[in-house]
Amino acid sequence: MKRALSVVLGSLISFSLILSACSGNGSDNTNSAKETDAQRSPATSSAETKSKPAEGSNHFSLYYPGMTTPINLDGPGTKEIMQKSGIIWDKVEVGNGGDVAQQVNLKLASGSLADAITLSASSEIWGRLIKAEKLIPLDKYFEDPVKYPNLAKIDKRIIDFWRASDGHIYFVPTGYEAIMEEPSAWNGKADGLWIRQDLLQTVGMTNDEIKTLEGLETFLGKIKGMTDGKGRKIIPLSIGGQNFPYASMITAMFGTAKWNEQADGTLLPDYRMPGFKQAWQWLNKMYNEGILDAETSYHKDDLYNEKLNSLRYGALFTGGWGAPNPFVLQEYKLPTTTTYADLEKNGFPAEWYSMMKLPQVPEIEPTPYLYLSPFGGNGTGVTIECGNPDLLLKALDWMQTEEAYRIMEWGPESFGAHSVKDGAAVQHDEVFMSDKFWGGTNPMKNVTEIGFWWWKNIASVSSTHILVLEPPFPVQNAEMYKAEQLNWEQGFITPNPVWNNLIPIIGGNIEKYTPIQNDIRLKYFAKMMMAKSDNDFNAVYDDFLNEMKVRGHDNETIEEFNKQYSDYANTPAGKIEWKISKRIPRNVYGKEPVVVGK
């Protein structure tokens, strides 16, 4: 399975996809050098204290605690990036896989911060660093089109979005949309209901017949008790692996979002809404009827993945990345580069999974559960340890260019993974998809060894408007593209709601009690799902609400969240207006490469 997923990952990256995973706003937290190998210091990932370089030095260090694969500073991509950007990275320290906040706190305690730090743009850790006065405000660099033309080109709404409550911007955002109103038509938002098509045909039903909840239940009931060609029982329905990861799709079907605006403008959490209880009542019904995977309440990801790999699920609520089609291709010995056009011509494998529209619950308006943000996913800040912030920001400015993107994605042209024709990057799969780069059993290690894609986490625009001669999508990616379009049609994707931009106040009730509330949720999700009768379910649900109130202090957390929500609405970030005018298409179903990014 790991092998298959590694190859799929390679296919995904081959289309220069950057997912904007941003879900928050930091406003509420305080709310061309050339050098030989011998001349440059060796790479290290130790936590040793670095002496501050002399003012004017072009040598810098970087700390990226959210990354665990070390970067090889001698890789050809990294060498090219350093030469073009005009600075030398002496040390890049990555994390240890543990709690990022704890790692940063240890850094603060030891006084060993690097010159620059990269974190999730929505991380509350920015607030800690600002409060400790460890970061340099970067406002002037976004306002000087002569010295920093590419930073100055960043949409001012993006800069405002990430301003801290003191009015300053403390990091360069990464992965943001160059044109906010024109995001990519494919953002990987393929979460939904995926169904094995051969089983649908076997029971004599069509996709249209499962557009309602009643129709879905009929289908699931008909495949209950079936066995596959190896004599194993088909499991009619799954809601994902460990800790109920896709239950939010079901609550969305029943009209409930994570936070729900009331008539008076205040917000209530999902579990306080009628639809939340109805959703879990439905899951309880599916469980008691032997339709929902009986091991859902306790199975670990390895057990879930074993079932997924064996194609035992008839239907599953999952993200498109978790759909079993890579294993179907593997079963039929089809290459992962097989295109949609190939299978349309030659026929799809029998066990192929396709996403359906989420079934309509009678008399209930569903809510969005996938959020699109143009504001970026990471940020790179400059610490007070940095002796030459102007030069460092000059390098980050260059990393916003199309030339920089190509080097960070494919490496220098001399490496052979790409060339440039008429302004568009042309990918050479014989190199890019080989074991030398994205191929092999550990593609992430390969790319960090040669130092390409890794750097896009530090400073880069999104891939949307980077001109690329793009080959047709592999079929599994094309299916996810189709799935995302279905989610747009149904209204399950929406621009990021304002409430999803809020970050817990340091030391506040939300930060304090959220871990407890999450533990309560997991405990009672299992109890509600396995309740033996309606009376048992109601009793468990009442206990759940009471425990959230007493042990989870939810009245205090809800009050604090609404106060933040109200305050945030009056900030520059809270007043940002953003609408999609068009989505840039991709080469999904074609037979020949075409230029995308226009």
Side-chain angles (χ1 to χ4, degrees):
M1 176 181 177
K2 290 180 180 177
R3 167 66 179 170
L5 290 180
S6 294
V7 175
V8 172
L9 176 61
S11 300
L12 298 176
I13 299 299
S14 71
F15 293 104
S16 306
L17 170 67
I18 292 181
L19 298 179
S20 294
C22 154
S23 63
N25 184 319
S27 298
D28 298 279
N29 268 339
T30 9
N31 259 315
S32 132
K34 295 184 180 180
E35 218 173 282
T36 66
D37 291 344
Q39 289 173 305
R40 180 163 50 78
S41 301
T44 178
S45 61
S46 69
E48 67 207 28
T49 301
K50 178 188 72 64
S51 60
K52 186 173 180 178
E55 186 174 347
S57 170
N58 68 341
H59 289 248
F60 299 93
S61 60
L62 173 70
Y63 181 40
Y64 185 4
M67 182 72 176
T68 57
T69 306
I71 181 70
N72 173 22
L73 294 179
D74 292 319
T78 296
K79 287 182 176 180
E80 185 86 354
I81 289 165
M82 290 195 289
Q83 178 181 331
K84 294 281 189 179
S85 66
I87 68 171
I88 302 298
W89 293 104
D90 284 326
K91 183 175 81 168
V92 175
E93 184 182 352
V94 298
N96 58 24
D99 181 81
V100 172
Q102 185 180 53
Q103 293 177 66
V104 175
N105 285 338
L106 289 173
K107 282 288 184 184
L108 288 171
S110 64
S112 58
L113 281 176
D115 298 309
I117 182 170
T118 296
L119 297 165
S120 167
S122 59
S123 173
E124 69 275 8
I125 299 171
W126 292 113
R128 296 181 187 274
L129 294 169
I130 294 167
K131 187 175 182 180
E133 299 183 340
K134 296 297 184 181
L135 295 176
I136 298 173
L138 304 180
D139 306 67
K140 68 177 184 179
Y141 299 104
F142 299 101
E143 299 166 358
D144 189 343
V146 176
K147 292 183 180 179
Y148 307 95
N150 301 298
L151 294 179
K153 281 196 305 186
I154 299 175
D155 195 301
K156 293 300 180 283
R157 289 172 294 178
I158 293 174
I159 304 304
D160 283 344
F161 187 82
W162 295 120
R163 287 190 189 279
S165 59
D166 64 3
H168 295 299
I169 174 78
Y170 285 94
F171 57 78
V172 176
T174 299
Y176 58 87
E177 291 286 357
I179 304 175
M180 287 177 58
E181 281 75 19
E182 298 181 5
S184 173
W186 188 43
N187 293 275
K189 298 187 181 300
D191 299 25
L193 176 64
W194 292 73
I195 289 183
R196 230 179 86 171
Q197 294 299 290
D198 62 325
L199 296 178
L200 197 62
Q201 295 170 9
T202 298
V203 300
M205 295 183 69
T206 65
N207 293 340
D208 285 341
E209 291 178 287
I210 53 174
K211 288 182 178 178
T212 65
L213 194 62
E214 182 183 8
L216 175 62
E217 290 176 357
T218 299
F219 165 70
L220 296 173
K222 287 185 176 183
I223 65 174
K224 176 185 172 182
M226 282 187 177
T227 58
D228 62 15
K230 299 178 181 178
R232 298 169 302 192
K233 282 190 176 182
I234 295 294
I235 303 170
L237 181 65
S238 166
I239 55 171
Q242 192 170 344
N243 296 338
F244 315 97
Y246 297 108
S248 59
M249 293 185 210
I250 292 92
T251 54
M253 282 167 46
F254 283 85
T256 301
K258 183 178 178 181
W259 287 93
N260 303 268
E261 189 164 359
Q262 305 303 292
D264 62 358
T266 60
L267 300 171
L268 278 181
D270 52 4
Y271 61 90
R272 291 278 191 97
M273 302 296 293
F276 184 87
K277 182 178 181 180
Q278 292 173 300
W280 282 96
Q281 284 175 317
W282 183 75
L283 286 171
N284 172 241
K285 174 186 174 185
M286 295 297 98
Y287 181 85
N288 285 332
E289 291 180 2
I291 287 173
L292 183 61
D293 187 349
E295 296 175 316
T296 291
S297 64
Y298 60 84
H299 67 187
K300 302 295 184 183
D301 280 337
D302 56 350
L303 177 57
Y304 168 72
N305 288 331
E306 182 183 340
K307 300 171 190 174
L308 199 71
N309 190 12
S310 302
L311 311 178
R312 291 186 59 196
Y313 289 121
L316 62 160
F317 289 95
T318 185
W321 313 106
N325 287 332
F327 307 117
V328 180
L329 293 174
Q330 186 174 284
E331 184 80 10
Y332 283 82
K333 295 181 172 55
L334 293 168
T336 57
T337 54
T338 300
T339 67
Y340 196 89
D342 291 334
L343 292 191
E344 270 195 320
K345 178 181 178 181
N346 301 316
F348 284 79
E351 296 90 347
W352 196 251
Y353 289 79
S354 291
M355 198 184 96
M356 308 290 103
K357 289 186 175 180
L358 285 186
Q360 178 68 48
V361 180
E363 300 179 3
I364 289 181
E365 183 70 26
T367 59
Y369 63 91
L370 297 168
Y371 307 120
L372 185 66
S373 168
F375 299 105
N378 271 356
T380 295
V382 181
T383 76
I384 58 174
E385 301 297 322
C386 182
N388 193 350
D390 289 356
L391 185 58
L392 179 53
L393 266 294
K394 192 69 178 175
L396 297 181
D397 180 85
W398 172 81
M399 291 174 78
Q400 314 300 309
T401 65
E402 189 159 340
E403 176 191 25
Y405 184 93
R406 290 195 296 262
I407 296 172
M408 291 187 284
E409 175 74 6
W410 295 284
E413 286 191 65
S414 60
F415 188 75
H418 86 293
S419 58
V420 180
K421 182 179 180 180
D422 298 328
V426 181
Q427 181 174 296
H428 303 157
D429 280 351
E430 66 276 10
V431 175
F432 189 78
M433 297 302 294
S434 70
D435 286 355
K436 188 177 180 181
F437 195 179
W438 276 110
T441 57
N442 194 343
M444 187 60 71
K445 183 176 185 297
N446 286 2
V447 294
T448 53
E449 278 293 315
I450 52 185
F452 295 170
W453 172 83
W454 193 96
W455 288 100
K456 291 190 298 188
N457 292 283
I458 311 306
S460 177
V461 299
S462 76
S463 63
T464 303
H465 291 275
I466 303 295
L467 294 183
V468 179
L469 184 67
E470 186 173 74
F473 271 32
V475 65
Q476 61 267 32
N477 297 29
E479 284 284 4
M480 287 189 284
Y481 184 98
K482 286 172 56 183
E484 181 169 332
Q485 306 320 303
L486 278 180
N487 280 324
W488 279 110
E489 288 176 23
Q490 295 180 95
F492 286 124
I493 304 177
T494 185
N496 208 38
V498 171
W499 54 258
N500 207 34
N501 299 334
L502 305 182
I503 298 173
I505 299 170
I506 298 172
N509 289 319
I510 295 173
E511 184 184 52
K512 181 178 180 180
Y513 293 114
T514 292
I516 297 171
Q517 291 182 2
N518 287 339
D519 287 343
I520 295 170
R521 280 175 176 269
L522 294 179
K523 172 184 174 182
Y524 280 94
F525 285 179
K527 286 190 170 187
M528 286 188 289
M529 191 181 72
M530 295 188 294
K532 298 186 182 303
S533 67
D534 290 343
N535 288 337
D536 286 345
F537 181 93
N538 289 328
V540 169
Y541 189 76
D542 289 342
D543 288 344
F544 168 57
L545 294 180
N546 185 62
E547 193 153 352
M548 289 292 275
K549 179 180 180 180
V550 176
R551 192 160 70 91
H553 293 259
D554 69 345
N555 284 335
E556 294 95 318
T557 58
I558 294 169
E559 181 181 2
E560 181 178 282
F561 191 86
N562 276 287
K563 175 64 166 57
Q564 272 192 271
Y565 180 63
S566 176
D567 291 346
Y568 181 80
N570 294 315
T571 66
K575 297 177 181 179
I576 290 173
E577 294 184 0
W578 171 62
K579 293 182 179 180
I580 298 172
S581 59
K582 70 174 181 178
R583 290 180 285 124
I584 304 301
R586 307 292 295 272
N587 187 17
V588 182
Y589 309 114
K591 298 180 181 180
E592 301 294 335
V594 297
V595 174
V596 300
K598 296 180 179 179

